[in-house]
Amino acid sequence: MIEYIDTYRDRFGGEAICRTLRQTECGFITSRGYRAAKTRAPSARSLSDALLIPELVKVFEDNFSVYGVRKMWKAMQRAGWDIGRDQTARLMKLAGIQGRRRGRTPITTLRADVPDCRPDLVNRDFTASAPHRLWVADITYVRTLSGFAYTAFITDAYSRKIVGVATRASMRTDELPLEAFEHALYHAGDLRAERLVHHSDRGSQYVSIRYGEALAEAGIDPSVGTVGDSYDNALAETVNGLYKTELIYPHRPWASVGEVEIATLRWVYWWNNHRLHESLGYINPPEIEEKPTINNHTPNPWAFNMRNENQDASHADYRLDKCRHNSRNGLTTSKGCRCASR
């Protein structure tokens, strides 16, 4: 009401507006009440909002402007602000900011022409007891004004850290996935486990002779999912989806492959060092590597992805088993299922 009067008082006069609107059934503020409201000292809540909103916007922008209410709440607490979740939601609305949401995107996998007998060593269990025990890999694409750019990621299942990345204008095995793999080997160094498993889909790049030889030379066990089933490589698909949602879509159009590559490296650095991961209990990868028992259990991508995170474990296991059964038998998964969520 006060804002409405402030907007039109120079045109109609404050007393005339109050006198006219008082004739409505619901009544209205009097001119005396309006003057009292204008001279009243700011409330404690408004002063608190004026202090918190700039800090909220700063934290939001420092994290690629992608965090929703829950992660902004956790991020503000980590920054030293004693703030509640509902308060965070209200302040984000006042500041006009909101998190990024993922949509459905096409996924391209080029199948090999020859049959492949590599086993699925993961069986949709994207957990690991320590860093560099399980890597998941996949390729995604980005539309640019000069053509397509392709990005290959290799992600460590334990810490959610992207250990290998490459962005190129071609999907050739030696130019894209092998470069990401070499980056992962360099990144891991001597920390690689003896029985490290490399899991991917059955794309022609990952089942090629050259890629298989690289895995064998490094002493890494290959693992591939079934054809046409994204659940068998759900963690890698999740990384692809978040990459598109948090970096690619908000900053379109992209001019060139080089521009995408530079932005991707900046995003990967933020992902690996600062981003709060829901599946890790709202901490970042360095913290889970430094304190591997911080949650008293192995990080589980399914454990934090139910819409109601307070559901008991038995209900979560039921939903997961149901989705696995439906997917393997060609049935539609339950509506709203986000088993492969972040």
Side-chain angles (χ1 to χ4, degrees):
M1 294 182 182
I2 302 299
E3 184 179 355
Y4 179 85
I5 297 176
D6 287 342
T7 302
Y8 294 101
R9 61 175 298 181
D10 292 337
R11 182 177 179 183
F12 301 106
E15 293 189 3
I17 294 175
C18 293
R19 184 171 58 253
T20 301
L21 294 181
R22 281 181 62 186
Q23 315 250 341
T24 62
E25 296 181 359
C26 61
F28 201 71
I29 189 172
T30 63
S31 58
R32 182 178 179 180
Y34 169 72
R35 289 192 295 270
K38 294 293 291 183
T39 57
R40 188 180 300 127
S43 65
R45 173 168 159 171
S46 61
L47 293 175
S48 175
D49 290 353
L51 174 66
L52 287 173
I53 287 178
E55 296 297 329
L56 191 81
V57 173
K58 181 178 182 299
V59 171
F60 182 75
E61 293 176 347
D62 288 345
N63 289 280
F64 279 76
S65 303
V66 300
Y67 280 173
V69 173
R70 280 182 295 180
K71 286 185 179 176
M72 280 301 302
W73 171 42
K74 297 290 184 179
M76 288 292 288
Q77 289 183 329
R78 289 166 63 92
W81 296 98
D82 185 13
I83 185 173
R85 176 174 170 173
D86 292 342
Q87 184 182 10
T88 303
R90 181 177 62 82
L91 293 177
M92 289 181 67
K93 185 176 181 180
L94 290 176
I97 58 178
Q98 61 180 356
R100 293 286 176 180
R101 296 183 179 181
R102 285 180 291 177
R104 297 182 60 87
T105 56
I107 300 173
T108 302
T109 299
L110 301 178
R111 294 175 52 185
D113 296 331
V114 296
D116 182 69
C117 58
R118 301 184 192 190
D120 184 353
L121 303 177
V122 175
N123 196 27
R124 301 187 184 181
D125 182 13
F126 298 100
T127 60
S129 58
H132 306 299
R133 297 291 179 87
L134 171 61
W135 288 351
V136 296
D138 201 6
I139 298 173
T140 188
Y141 66 90
V142 179
R143 292 183 177 92
T144 73
L145 298 179
S146 59
F148 281 98
Y150 301 94
T151 300
F153 291 117
I154 298 180
T155 306
D156 179 49
Y158 179 84
S159 65
R160 298 300 189 267
K161 180 177 286 188
I162 297 175
V163 294
V165 59
T167 301
R168 293 292 179 266
S170 169
M171 287 198 299
R172 286 172 53 91
T173 301
D174 55 345
E175 293 184 8
L176 187 67
L178 263 181
E179 185 168 335
F181 179 66
E182 292 171 357
H183 180 205
L185 292 178
Y186 177 82
H187 182 275
D190 297 332
L191 299 178
R192 296 204 320 268
E194 292 183 0
R195 302 297 296 179
L196 171 61
V197 174
H198 176 287
H199 183 76
S200 67
D201 56 26
R202 291 185 181 270
S204 59
Q205 298 88 353
Y206 292 114
V207 300
S208 65
I209 295 176
R210 191 161 185 179
Y211 201 89
E213 290 176 345
L215 292 175
E217 290 176 3
I220 299 176
D221 295 336
S223 171
V224 293
T226 56
V227 176
D229 194 339
S230 61
Y231 285 96
D232 283 352
N233 201 21
L235 178 54
E237 298 286 1
T238 296
V239 175
N240 290 346
L242 292 172
Y243 168 63
K244 296 285 191 70
T245 302
E246 297 179 352
L247 176 66
I248 301 303
Y249 295 151
H251 302 287
R252 290 182 294 187
W254 295 92
S256 65
V257 176
E259 184 182 17
V260 174
E261 182 180 13
I262 294 173
T264 299
L265 294 176
R266 289 181 56 250
W267 179 81
V268 168
Y269 176 82
W270 170 74
W271 170 284
N272 285 347
N273 294 279
H274 302 293
R275 188 185 190 276
L276 304 184
H277 293 260
E278 184 179 357
S279 57
L280 300 180
Y282 295 103
I283 61 177
N284 53 46
E287 291 175 342
I288 198 66
E289 290 180 336
E290 293 172 3
K291 301 178 180 180
T293 59
I294 191 169
N295 293 323
N296 280 331
H297 66 278
T298 302
N300 190 332
W302 312 102
F304 298 95
N305 288 314
M306 296 302 172
R307 289 190 174 182
N308 181 2
E309 294 178 4
N310 295 323
Q311 291 174 332
D312 56 44
S314 61
H315 182 57
D317 290 340
Y318 166 77
R319 288 192 61 182
L320 176 57
D321 291 339
K322 182 178 179 181
C323 289
R324 287 175 174 171
H325 172 78
N326 289 348
S327 178
R328 289 178 179 173
N329 289 276
L331 302 175
T332 303
T333 55
S334 57
K335 183 177 181 180
C337 174
R338 295 190 177 183
C339 290
S341 182
R342 53 189 162 181

